[in-house]
Amino acid sequence: MSDTYGKHITLTLTGESHGPAVGAVLTGLAAGIRVDEPFMRNQLERRRAKGSISTARSEEDAVRFLSGVYRGYTTGTALTLMIENKDAQSGAYEAAKNLLRPGHADYTASVKYRGYADLRGGGHASGRLTAPFVAACSILTGLLRSKGIFIATHLAECAAVSDLPFSEEPAVLEQQIRSLNETAFPVLNDSSGRLMQDAIRLAADSGDSVGGILETAVIGLPAGLGEPFFGSVESELASLLFSIPAVKGVEFGAGFGFARMKGSRANDPLRMKDRQIVTSSNHNGGINGGITNGMPVIFRTVIKPTPSIYMVQQTVDYEKRCNAVLQISGRHDPCIAHRACVVQDSAAALCIAELLCARCGTKWQEDGAWNMD
Amino acid sequence: MSDTYGKHITLTLTGESHGPAVGAVLTGLAAGIRVDEPFMRNQLERRRAKGSISTARSEEDAVRFLSGVYRGYTTGTALTLMIENKDAQSGAYEAAKNLLRPGHADYTASVKYRGYADLRGGGHASGRLTAPFVAACSILTGLLRSKGIFIATHLAECAAVSDLPFSEEPAVLEQQIRSLNETAFPVLNDSSGRLMQDAIRLAADSGDSVGGILETAVIGLPAGLGEPFFGSVESELASLLFSIPAVKGVEFGAGFGFARMKGSRANDPLRMKDRQIVTSSNHNGGINGGITNGMPVIFRTVIKPTPSIYMVQQTVDYEKRCNAVLQISGRHDPCIAHRACVVQDSAAALCIAELLCARCGTKWQEDGAWNMD
Amino acid sequence: MSDTYGKHITLTLTGESHGPAVGAVLTGLAAGIRVDEPFMRNQLERRRAKGSISTARSEEDAVRFLSGVYRGYTTGTALTLMIENKDAQSGAYEAAKNLLRPGHADYTASVKYRGYADLRGGGHASGRLTAPFVAACSILTGLLRSKGIFIATHLAECAAVSDLPFSEEPAVLEQQIRSLNETAFPVLNDSSGRLMQDAIRLAADSGDSVGGILETAVIGLPAGLGEPFFGSVESELASLLFSIPAVKGVEFGAGFGFARMKGSRANDPLRMKDRQIVTSSNHNGGINGGITNGMPVIFRTVIKPTPSIYMVQQTVDYEKRCNAVLQISGRHDPCIAHRACVVQDSAAALCIAELLCARCGTKWQEDGAWNMD
Amino acid sequence: MSDTYGKHITLTLTGESHGPAVGAVLTGLAAGIRVDEPFMRNQLERRRAKGSISTARSEEDAVRFLSGVYRGYTTGTALTLMIENKDAQSGAYEAAKNLLRPGHADYTASVKYRGYADLRGGGHASGRLTAPFVAACSILTGLLRSKGIFIATHLAECAAVSDLPFSEEPAVLEQQIRSLNETAFPVLNDSSGRLMQDAIRLAADSGDSVGGILETAVIGLPAGLGEPFFGSVESELASLLFSIPAVKGVEFGAGFGFARMKGSRANDPLRMKDRQIVTSSNHNGGINGGITNGMPVIFRTVIKPTPSIYMVQQTVDYEKRCNAVLQISGRHDPCIAHRACVVQDSAAALCIAELLCARCGTKWQEDGAWNMD
């Protein structure tokens, strides 16, 4: 319950939207991991404002390492990165600072921080914090790829338009994952993508906003990660996913679809395939009893519509404690779901790295010669 | 990522389904909290097997305190409780112990624990661990009630039958919560309840099983609990909820329903009411930016159908590594959703107590005279 | 700051001296570690009251496993052990329960637990809690020995009598460590041991008590364990050592002797020996910059004299808030230092296991093929 | 076991001695604490190189806040501060970078970080990291003072010269503490101070170095802080104190002096004084059973002599794995003990703040009306 996630690998996010800088501190990395800065910039690019369906705030997001990186590799000590806030336009926020914006954290942060928080632009609760989050996690994403673990997220649904689902065919799924990580607008079916962007623009034209459902697939995980109960893979992933601003639901495999199934359909039968144990269906999303079973881990989140809309809204003046009306100006995304895909990928990478550390930490205790080199 | 939840208040669950005992260790309690044993037994009763729609294993669930309780009150030191396993019938499990039961953790636990786990009856991943969980959390539920915080869970949906939703009218919601905690079968509408039980029996008759959706409401929380990002109330609650066996999805407020909304409808307008700031709708489920806003906290989980069904299933023999068929015998619930309501209440109580400790821990730093007595 | 130690391996101690039982919960163990019960009993025997220099309370210390052990091996889930309190004589304590015993935790526990603690026999702060501590840690000691890591503690000083120091010759040190773990009274020089026991008996005869200094040596550790600053080996070990009741000082290597040295003597020169890097002296006790360097880790603690003495003492009546005199009866050790040696060994084992988990947890991130089996 | 200390209040130190910057991230602060920058600079000044007895590296130590501070007060979110490294002279270190300096962490860090660490100037293990440490803790020191808790450290012994001890008279002790925080060279007796500085210079003249013993007193603490066993005040303080580079021993109250005492002298008798319970002596240093008793908390650390001396030393060439000789050049303190006093004060402040959060966190559970505002 703090600004820090994790136990073996930890990530702390710092900064306010309109403060000097936003940043991240990552600990628990081994020494000698390659820090791929072009890849980091690429991940940040996928997160950033692009074209007419996203806002005009276009920070260059230049990442500066303050510690933990030397000659392109991690040193094994705490890694600090910082992104200076350059393109912050506080004027638009100052004008209406006592009017609580519905759907935002204005009211709750005012109560919690007793008036001392820097709430300009959403303050510490702002989506801007996802920039250092994505930057830091990119190191883990690269590390996982070098171990054969791949992650990708697509817009399963947006503005009521549906995308194709992930394939159940391993070779096809692998290709879909590869393509998604190279696609500008993260969908599996291009025409769905075009319909989605049309619907987003339509909402924008009426001063409104839309949300969506993101679906992530992870392949290459060994079986046996996670713990029953408190350390379940669902618990660990959901904990991070719900940290992403605007996420209001998380489901694994068939998810809420289980409510309409009988056990005879919900259960995933097991069978041998190429001397491996696999399941014939994957309703459980690759996780049984909180532990991975080797099948692709599949999960979905719902991203609520962006709260900042241009229509008139009923609200309260926090200082005067009376009813008021609000009409937001400034720059706001009509939809952030597509930008959130790389954030969700990042969350998955962080969580998996943490799970692998947990699994690895006890290996020295197991039978046989041990190697501490 | 372990057997322990929490940072300020911690709960560790121990034991295997067919081992000597299952237990819980609870730390972080102040001294002097009344330990209400009749209430604890009442909570365990709500969890236990009842009637024809639940299994016949009827442990008396006698709780024994080994530490932390003296003369009916907490001592302020670690509290240990233990429930001996008396009614374990290992025979039914022994017969087919190399056949991996689909939907269970047999395969994943075999990989993870490398053959050393006591997997009889589901071992440590068994739902039996929810007994000490409910027992320990009952102390927190009682404590929260004494502070005006009330929690209740109903079967929003089961076997495709829907219950009424929670009321948006505060006085009615309060009454609904009170009633649920006194009801045998946790629904708001009795006829829905009867239809559900009919559907469950129908599934049982065909050797199958069904799942459901549980909905929880929490009232009486102050605004300002939780932290943006990693300490968000959604993250904290979801982490615990996904620890409950069979939970495969968690959503807050409108949840996955947000995917079909526009921002103009999704946003909850704010207004003054009796000199308090409230919202006119509650799509955000009482949480903004990860922090409570004072409105009822509403969330739902999906419980997948019980994996143990009596129909023939395709599986694998773990020892021989070949395909096989399995037909389970023994005692199995056709549905556990109704029994899970008190488990979900318990999880909510534990999480809220943890959030309150976090909030409280910094109060001494705030301006004004401080009181350490 | 709780009842629990550790992050990767965790140990929670539970119970009160005169409550139903004292216990320990150990998490973070891999599956498949042999649980050597005869060795555990042997360790408890070393801790227990023996002969005329120790008290007459002679619990059989029968350990019962409630979870985490199956057919003689750890299951990989939380391990719970319990020792029932059988030989508790509460009468002696009841008589003078409002008189605060000097040097004990009576006053501080009364303030902290606001009157609700079970303080009979010292309650939760009692040395009795070292029994489950030693029992649980014995599993780790055995595990470490199987990896070539050996630990032993001797009474460096007791009642102003000094023992020989540990040898700087590796082969001799190894033999000394082996012998100490088989010795009844833990000294390197038998005549020092006899003098110490004489001095202890002398103090007992006058109704008084004495303390001592314990010195521990650990061999077989790889270099590279621990972290600079907060994760230093000294920090981790001291944290546990100061948890042992009666420990009031901890020093590493030359310790407080450094105050009288110059750098030219304090520094340990490095040299090659059999293609290994070693130091010619070991003033730093095997630790540089918080990280092990491969040399034996040497540290000392001071055990204060047992507070329970039979002489008349000035004190306060806690209920009446007035001055009073106290004369303790009951059974009390004139010295506990010799019994504390196995407790100190146990603490070292727990800490080292934790450090190894931390080191191991990041190995999967390092270059080269990785093996998750 | 990481770069982070604490559970309620956490502090993470980042940076390498010759990297871009050193920094600190502090979480767990309430909103609205005044950030006193002049006081922070004053604390850093006390730590810095001064005059002929300290090195010539004189960083301006300009602190820049990147997050968590707004208009002079904490925001209640993660606080990041950064100090750019400007006066780093890497040349002197580069020349002999394969020669392991005795007494330093060169060898251990080379093993641990497998060659990837930036070890120039000591890298992450450098004493330079105490600068952000002192800066961050200054906020806590100020906060504690506003609650009537005062801390000060003096050089109890240095280069074999002794200072006067802290007074046992409360009014005198209070004055001594006040004076120490305003003194350039932290001693209670000025002539002892002059003798110490002479002895330091003498050692410097011969190219050698000396160490010392620091003694800290804390007044104003309530009774009841800390927990028996793992959360003992000694454990918590020692954990932090041993994080300070060069600390090799920690003792409380009479410390190692207990080894020569009998219980009749070691015990602190209790008595009433002005309706408070106090002890007539304070051998236990204000702590019983790991819990504060309201008396001044007194502890001492030993600072080993600075390892960097100008004399020729035997060592090993790490790259060639052969014996070698080393003669260090560059700028090195002949003694750092006097500069470490403010570091030890800082550690005490951090630990106490953490203990108060722990104590405070459960207050809402206690009987009576609760106030969440």
Side-chain angles (χ1 to χ4, degrees):
Chain A
M1 197 159 322
S2 66
D3 296 278
T4 302
Y5 163 80
K7 190 162 71 170
H8 308 83
I9 288 186
T10 81
L11 177 65
T12 304
L13 294 180
T14 67
E16 285 77 45
S17 181
H18 287 212
V22 291
V25 180
L26 193 52
T27 77
L29 296 178
I33 299 170
R34 198 164 92 80
V35 176
D36 188 339
E37 293 195 55
F39 176 65
M40 182 180 289
R41 282 192 292 271
N42 174 276
Q43 293 287 83
L44 286 169
E45 185 66 42
R46 294 175 60 201
R47 176 200 160 277
R48 201 176 308 157
K50 282 189 301 291
S52 70
I53 61 166
S54 300
T55 64
R57 177 174 182 178
S58 53
E59 298 271 353
E60 203 182 285
D61 285 344
V63 174
R64 182 182 173 207
F65 291 106
L66 296 183
S67 74
V69 181
Y70 185 52
R71 299 180 170 174
Y73 290 83
T74 56
T75 59
T77 59
L79 185 150
T80 313
L81 61 85
M82 185 185 83
I83 302 175
E84 307 245 10
N85 286 325
K86 292 203 181 74
D87 191 22
Q89 293 180 357
S90 305
Y93 297 105
E94 283 296 323
K97 78 180 170 89
N98 288 321
L99 299 179
L100 304 172
R101 298 170 298 161
H104 279 282
D106 295 3
Y107 173 52
T108 54
S110 296
V111 172
K112 183 175 185 66
Y113 300 116
R114 299 157 52 252
Y116 288 102
D118 173 3
L119 296 178
R120 300 169 296 165
H124 185 61
S126 165
R128 179 118 188 87
L129 270 288
T130 59
F133 181 75
V134 166
C137 294
S138 70
I139 299 174
L140 299 169
T141 300
L143 176 63
L144 291 176
R145 288 183 183 182
S146 74
K147 308 295 179 185
I149 296 170
F150 296 89
I151 305 163
T153 303
H154 74 118
L155 262 172
E157 189 183 308
C158 183
V161 177
S162 292
D163 189 15
L164 285 179
F166 278 116
S167 169
E168 298 205 346
E169 192 52 54
V172 179
L173 176 59
E174 208 178 315
Q175 182 53 41
Q176 288 178 322
I177 287 173
R178 196 188 321 274
S179 302
L180 276 172
N181 287 322
E182 294 160 9
T183 304
F185 193 76
V187 284
L188 296 172
N189 178 331
D190 287 341
S191 40
S192 299
R194 285 189 294 273
L195 284 169
M196 288 179 186
Q197 295 182 67
D198 287 346
I200 293 171
R201 266 186 288 268
L202 212 69
D205 289 346
S206 49
D208 214 329
S209 66
V210 289
I213 294 178
L214 308 189
E215 182 175 49
T216 303
V218 183
I219 56 175
L221 284 182
L225 296 188
E227 309 267 338
F229 292 101
F230 301 131
S232 80
V233 174
E234 293 104 330
S235 292
E236 283 290 322
L237 272 169
S239 174
L240 258 185
L241 294 169
F242 275 114
S243 299
I244 303 171
V247 169
K248 286 304 239 185
V250 171
E251 59 179 16
F252 293 84
F256 280 90
F258 272 121
R260 302 295 172 105
M261 288 184 195
K262 295 232 172 54
S264 53
R265 175 171 161 227
N267 282 359
D268 301 313
L270 296 116
R271 63 183 177 99
M272 298 302 302
K273 178 184 172 187
D274 303 330
R275 313 195 2 166
Q276 296 289 325
I277 295 175
V278 300
T279 59
S280 303
S281 56
N282 192 18
H283 296 122
N284 282 277
I287 307 164
N288 289 114
I291 304 167
T292 56
N293 63 17
M295 296 296 288
V297 169
I298 310 284
F299 57 87
R300 276 177 301 285
T301 63
V302 57
I303 305 287
K304 72 177 193 180
T306 323
S308 286
I309 57 180
Y310 297 97
M311 302 159 116
V312 170
Q313 300 186 79
Q314 298 296 319
T315 186
V316 160
D317 182 308
Y318 189 61
E319 197 184 349
K320 296 178 186 155
R321 299 296 162 115
C322 64
N323 291 329
V325 291
L326 167 72
Q327 188 157 24
I328 287 171
S329 61
R331 311 165 299 184
H332 310 287
D333 286 322
C335 180
I336 57 146
H338 58 293
R339 293 174 60 192
C341 287
V342 67
V343 181
Q344 189 152 309
D345 286 344
S346 304
L350 175 58
C351 181
I352 289 164
E354 171 74 1
L355 287 165
L356 287 168
C357 284
R359 164 70 188 99
C360 223
T362 57
K363 293 205 80 182
W364 69 272
Q365 301 180 27
E366 296 166 13
D367 275 356
W370 70 319
N371 177 12
M372 268 292 140
D373 302 323
Chain B
M1 198 158 323
S2 66
D3 296 277
T4 302
Y5 164 82
K7 190 162 74 170
H8 307 85
I9 288 185
T10 81
L11 177 64
T12 304
L13 294 179
T14 67
E16 286 76 44
S17 182
H18 287 210
V22 291
V25 181
L26 192 53
T27 77
L29 296 180
I33 299 171
R34 198 164 91 80
V35 177
D36 188 340
E37 295 196 54
F39 177 65
M40 183 180 290
R41 283 192 290 272
N42 175 275
Q43 293 287 84
L44 287 168
E45 185 66 42
R46 293 176 60 202
R47 175 200 161 277
R48 201 176 309 158
K50 284 190 297 292
S52 69
I53 61 166
S54 300
T55 64
R57 176 173 183 178
S58 51
E59 297 268 353
E60 203 182 283
D61 284 344
V63 174
R64 183 183 172 207
F65 291 107
L66 297 182
S67 74
V69 182
Y70 186 52
R71 299 180 170 174
Y73 290 85
T74 56
T75 59
T77 58
L79 185 151
T80 313
L81 61 86
M82 185 184 84
I83 302 175
E84 306 248 10
N85 286 327
K86 293 204 182 72
D87 192 22
Q89 295 179 357
S90 303
Y93 298 105
E94 282 297 321
K97 79 181 171 89
N98 288 320
L99 298 180
L100 304 172
R101 298 169 299 162
H104 278 283
D106 295 3
Y107 173 51
T108 54
S110 297
V111 172
K112 184 176 185 66
Y113 299 116
R114 298 159 50 252
Y116 288 101
D118 173 3
L119 296 178
R120 301 168 295 165
H124 185 61
S126 164
R128 177 116 188 89
L129 270 287
T130 59
F133 181 74
V134 166
C137 293
S138 71
I139 298 173
L140 299 169
T141 300
L143 177 63
L144 292 176
R145 287 183 183 183
S146 75
K147 308 294 178 184
I149 296 171
F150 296 88
I151 304 164
T153 302
H154 75 117
L155 263 172
E157 189 182 307
C158 183
V161 177
S162 291
D163 189 17
L164 286 180
F166 278 117
S167 170
E168 298 205 344
E169 191 54 54
V172 179
L173 175 60
E174 207 177 315
Q175 181 53 40
Q176 288 178 323
I177 288 173
R178 197 189 319 276
S179 302
L180 276 172
N181 286 323
E182 295 160 8
T183 305
F185 193 77
V187 285
L188 295 173
N189 177 331
D190 288 341
S191 42
S192 299
R194 283 189 295 272
L195 283 170
M196 288 178 187
Q197 296 182 66
D198 288 344
I200 293 171
R201 265 185 289 267
L202 212 68
D205 290 346
S206 50
D208 215 329
S209 67
V210 289
I213 294 177
L214 306 190
E215 181 175 48
T216 303
V218 184
I219 56 175
L221 285 181
L225 296 186
E227 309 267 338
F229 292 101
F230 302 131
S232 81
V233 174
E234 293 102 331
S235 291
E236 283 289 322
L237 271 169
S239 176
L240 259 184
L241 294 169
F242 276 115
S243 300
I244 303 170
V247 168
K248 287 301 242 185
V250 171
E251 60 178 18
F252 293 85
F256 280 89
F258 271 122
R260 300 295 172 107
M261 288 184 194
K262 293 231 172 55
S264 52
R265 176 175 160 222
N267 281 358
D268 300 313
L270 296 117
R271 63 185 177 96
M272 298 301 302
K273 178 185 173 187
D274 303 330
R275 311 191 9 162
Q276 297 290 323
I277 295 176
V278 299
T279 59
S280 303
S281 55
N282 193 17
H283 296 123
N284 282 276
I287 307 164
N288 289 115
I291 304 167
T292 55
N293 64 18
M295 296 295 288
V297 169
I298 310 283
F299 57 87
R300 278 176 300 285
T301 62
V302 56
I303 306 289
K304 73 177 192 180
T306 323
S308 287
I309 56 180
Y310 296 96
M311 301 159 117
V312 170
Q313 300 185 79
Q314 297 295 321
T315 187
V316 158
D317 182 307
Y318 190 60
E319 196 183 350
K320 298 179 187 155
R321 299 296 161 117
C322 63
N323 292 329
V325 292
L326 167 73
Q327 189 157 24
I328 287 171
S329 58
R331 311 164 300 185
H332 310 286
D333 285 323
C335 180
I336 57 148
H338 57 293
R339 293 175 59 193
C341 286
V342 67
V343 180
Q344 189 153 308
D345 285 344
S346 303
L350 175 58
C351 181
I352 289 163
E354 172 74 2
L355 287 166
L356 287 168
C357 283
R359 166 70 190 99
C360 222
T362 57
K363 292 206 78 184
W364 69 271
Q365 302 179 26
E366 296 167 12
D367 275 354
W370 69 320
N371 176 12
M372 269 291 139
D373 302 322
Chain C
M1 196 160 322
S2 66
D3 295 277
T4 301
Y5 164 82
K7 191 162 72 169
H8 308 85
I9 287 186
T10 80
L11 177 64
T12 304
L13 295 180
T14 67
E16 285 76 44
S17 182
H18 287 210
V22 290
V25 181
L26 192 53
T27 78
L29 296 179
I33 299 170
R34 198 164 91 80
V35 177
D36 188 339
E37 294 195 55
F39 177 66
M40 181 180 291
R41 285 192 289 273
N42 174 277
Q43 293 286 83
L44 287 169
E45 185 65 45
R46 293 175 60 202
R47 176 200 160 277
R48 200 175 308 155
K50 285 191 297 291
S52 69
I53 61 166
S54 300
T55 64
R57 177 173 184 179
S58 52
E59 298 268 354
E60 204 183 282
D61 283 344
V63 174
R64 183 183 172 207
F65 291 106
L66 297 182
S67 74
V69 181
Y70 186 51
R71 299 180 171 176
Y73 290 84
T74 56
T75 59
T77 59
L79 184 150
T80 313
L81 61 85
M82 186 184 84
I83 302 174
E84 306 247 10
N85 286 328
K86 292 204 180 74
D87 192 22
Q89 295 179 357
S90 304
Y93 298 105
E94 282 297 321
K97 77 181 171 93
N98 288 321
L99 298 180
L100 305 172
R101 297 169 299 162
H104 279 284
D106 295 2
Y107 173 52
T108 54
S110 296
V111 171
K112 183 174 184 68
Y113 300 115
R114 297 156 53 250
Y116 288 101
D118 173 2
L119 296 179
R120 300 169 297 166
H124 184 62
S126 164
R128 178 115 188 90
L129 271 287
T130 59
F133 182 75
V134 167
C137 293
S138 71
I139 299 173
L140 300 169
T141 299
L143 176 62
L144 291 175
R145 287 182 183 183
S146 74
K147 307 294 179 184
I149 296 171
F150 296 88
I151 305 164
T153 302
H154 75 118
L155 262 172
E157 189 181 308
C158 183
V161 177
S162 292
D163 189 16
L164 286 180
F166 277 117
S167 169
E168 298 206 345
E169 192 53 54
V172 179
L173 176 60
E174 206 177 316
Q175 181 53 40
Q176 287 178 324
I177 288 174
R178 196 188 320 276
S179 302
L180 275 173
N181 287 323
E182 295 160 8
T183 305
F185 193 78
V187 284
L188 296 172
N189 177 332
D190 287 340
S191 40
S192 299
R194 283 189 294 272
L195 284 170
M196 287 178 187
Q197 296 183 66
D198 287 346
I200 293 171
R201 264 186 288 266
L202 213 68
D205 290 345
S206 49
D208 214 329
S209 67
V210 290
I213 294 178
L214 307 189
E215 181 175 47
T216 303
V218 183
I219 56 175
L221 286 180
L225 296 187
E227 309 267 337
F229 292 101
F230 301 131
S232 81
V233 174
E234 293 103 331
S235 290
E236 283 289 322
L237 271 168
S239 175
L240 259 184
L241 295 169
F242 276 115
S243 300
I244 303 171
V247 170
K248 286 302 239 185
V250 171
E251 60 178 16
F252 293 84
F256 280 89
F258 272 121
R260 300 294 171 106
M261 289 185 193
K262 294 228 171 58
S264 52
R265 175 173 161 224
N267 282 357
D268 300 314
L270 296 117
R271 62 183 178 100
M272 298 302 302
K273 177 184 172 187
D274 304 328
R275 304 179 28 150
Q276 298 289 324
I277 295 175
V278 300
T279 60
S280 302
S281 55
N282 193 18
H283 296 123
N284 281 276
I287 307 164
N288 289 114
I291 303 167
T292 56
N293 63 18
M295 295 295 288
V297 170
I298 310 282
F299 57 86
R300 278 176 299 286
T301 63
V302 58
I303 306 288
K304 73 178 192 180
T306 322
S308 286
I309 56 181
Y310 296 97
M311 301 160 117
V312 169
Q313 300 186 79
Q314 297 295 320
T315 186
V316 159
D317 182 307
Y318 190 59
E319 196 184 350
K320 296 177 188 157
R321 299 295 161 118
C322 63
N323 292 329
V325 291
L326 166 73
Q327 188 157 24
I328 286 171
S329 59
R331 312 164 299 186
H332 310 286
D333 284 323
C335 180
I336 57 147
H338 57 293
R339 293 174 59 192
C341 286
V342 67
V343 181
Q344 189 152 309
D345 285 344
S346 303
L350 175 57
C351 181
I352 289 163
E354 172 73 2
L355 287 166
L356 287 168
C357 284
R359 165 69 190 99
C360 222
T362 57
K363 291 206 80 184
W364 69 272
Q365 301 180 26
E366 295 167 13
D367 275 355
W370 69 320
N371 176 13
M372 268 293 139
D373 302 322
Chain D
M1 197 157 325
S2 66
D3 296 278
T4 301
Y5 164 81
K7 191 162 72 169
H8 307 84
I9 287 187
T10 81
L11 177 64
T12 304
L13 294 180
T14 68
E16 285 78 44
S17 182
H18 286 212
V22 291
V25 181
L26 192 53
T27 78
L29 296 178
I33 299 170
R34 198 164 92 80
V35 177
D36 187 340
E37 295 197 54
F39 177 65
M40 184 181 288
R41 283 192 290 273
N42 175 277
Q43 292 287 82
L44 286 168
E45 184 66 42
R46 292 175 62 200
R47 176 199 161 276
R48 201 176 308 158
K50 282 188 302 293
S52 71
I53 61 165
S54 302
T55 64
R57 175 173 184 178
S58 52
E59 299 269 354
E60 204 182 287
D61 285 343
V63 174
R64 183 182 174 209
F65 291 106
L66 297 183
S67 73
V69 181
Y70 186 52
R71 298 181 170 175
Y73 291 83
T74 55
T75 58
T77 58
L79 184 151
T80 313
L81 61 86
M82 186 185 84
I83 302 175
E84 305 246 10
N85 285 327
K86 294 203 180 71
D87 191 23
Q89 294 180 358
S90 305
Y93 297 105
E94 282 295 323
K97 79 181 168 89
N98 287 321
L99 298 180
L100 305 172
R101 297 170 299 162
H104 279 282
D106 295 3
Y107 173 51
T108 54
S110 297
V111 171
K112 182 174 186 67
Y113 301 116
R114 297 155 55 251
Y116 288 102
D118 173 3
L119 296 178
R120 301 170 295 166
H124 185 61
S126 165
R128 178 119 188 87
L129 271 287
T130 59
F133 182 74
V134 167
C137 293
S138 71
I139 299 173
L140 299 169
T141 300
L143 176 63
L144 291 175
R145 286 183 184 182
S146 75
K147 307 295 178 184
I149 296 171
F150 295 88
I151 305 164
T153 302
H154 74 118
L155 262 173
E157 189 182 309
C158 184
V161 177
S162 292
D163 189 16
L164 286 179
F166 278 117
S167 169
E168 298 207 345
E169 193 52 55
V172 179
L173 176 59
E174 207 178 314
Q175 181 53 41
Q176 288 178 323
I177 288 175
R178 195 188 321 275
S179 302
L180 275 173
N181 287 323
E182 296 160 8
T183 305
F185 194 77
V187 286
L188 296 173
N189 177 332
D190 286 340
S191 41
S192 299
R194 283 190 294 273
L195 284 170
M196 288 178 187
Q197 295 183 65
D198 288 345
I200 293 171
R201 265 185 287 268
L202 212 68
D205 289 346
S206 51
D208 214 330
S209 67
V210 289
I213 294 177
L214 308 189
E215 181 175 49
T216 303
V218 183
I219 55 175
L221 286 181
L225 296 187
E227 309 267 338
F229 291 101
F230 301 131
S232 79
V233 174
E234 293 103 330
S235 291
E236 283 290 322
L237 271 169
S239 173
L240 258 185
L241 294 169
F242 275 115
S243 299
I244 303 171
V247 170
K248 287 303 241 185
V250 171
E251 60 179 15
F252 293 84
F256 281 90
F258 272 121
R260 300 295 171 106
M261 288 184 194
K262 293 231 173 54
S264 52
R265 177 175 160 222
N267 282 357
D268 300 315
L270 297 116
R271 65 184 175 98
M272 298 302 301
K273 177 183 172 188
D274 304 330
R275 307 180 23 150
Q276 297 289 326
I277 296 175
V278 299
T279 59
S280 303
S281 55
N282 193 18
H283 296 122
N284 282 276
I287 307 165
N288 290 114
I291 304 167
T292 56
N293 63 18
M295 296 296 287
V297 170
I298 310 283
F299 57 87
R300 278 177 299 285
T301 63
V302 58
I303 306 287
K304 72 177 191 180
T306 323
S308 285
I309 56 179
Y310 296 97
M311 301 160 117
V312 170
Q313 301 185 80
Q314 297 295 319
T315 185
V316 159
D317 182 308
Y318 190 60
E319 196 184 351
K320 297 178 186 154
R321 299 295 162 117
C322 64
N323 292 330
V325 291
L326 167 73
Q327 188 158 24
I328 288 172
S329 60
R331 311 166 299 187
H332 310 286
D333 286 321
C335 179
I336 56 147
H338 57 292
R339 293 175 59 192
C341 287
V342 67
V343 181
Q344 189 152 309
D345 286 344
S346 304
L350 175 57
C351 180
I352 289 164
E354 171 74 0
L355 287 166
L356 287 168
C357 284
R359 165 69 189 99
C360 222
T362 56
K363 292 206 79 184
W364 68 271
Q365 302 179 26
E366 296 167 13
D367 275 355
W370 70 319
N371 176 11
M372 269 292 140
D373 302 323

